[in-house]
Amino acid sequence: ASAEQAQDAYNVCHTLNQLGVRDAEIATLYYDQSVEQAQIEILAQQIRDAFPALHVEIYASMQPGNTVVIALE
């Protein structure tokens, strides 16, 4: 992973921690057309590595203007 991808993953994992990810069971990543599928899969794997108990799902979104949206359940 590039330094930028590593920083993005760190920022996402830090934000997920602040949102109480440890109380969640599922993280759903929605990504738009501006994000390559390979990029979102790398991010999903980094989240899985950081939070092994969390189930991570990925869905393509057709909503413009939201590069990546993460929902916790």
Side-chain angles (χ1 to χ4, degrees), residues 37-73:
Q37 185 173 355
Q39 289 176 304
I40 199 72
E41 292 200 21
I42 289 169
L43 178 59
Q45 188 57 53
Q46 290 168 325
I47 293 170
R48 288 182 188 108
D49 291 345
F51 308 104
L54 189 65
H55 178 77
V56 180
E57 299 177 350
I58 304 170
Y59 295 98
S61 170
M62 296 301 140
Q63 290 198 310
N66 293 317
T67 304
V68 177
V69 174
I70 301 175
L72 294 177
E73 299 177 51

Side-chain angles (χ1 to χ4, degrees), residues 9-52:
Y10 171 82
N11 291 340
V12 167
C13 289
H14 179 73
T15 300
L16 290 175
N17 260 326
Q18 290 179 322
L19 294 173
V21 69
R22 302 220 186 266
D23 295 329
E25 295 178 11
I26 302 169
T28 306
L29 283 64
Y30 300 94
Y31 67 100
D32 72 12
Q33 298 170 358
S34 69
V35 179
E36 293 180 22
Q37 185 173 355
Q39 289 176 304
I40 199 72
E41 292 200 21
I42 289 169
L43 178 59
Q45 188 57 53
Q46 290 168 325
I47 293 170
R48 288 182 188 108
D49 291 345
F51 308 104

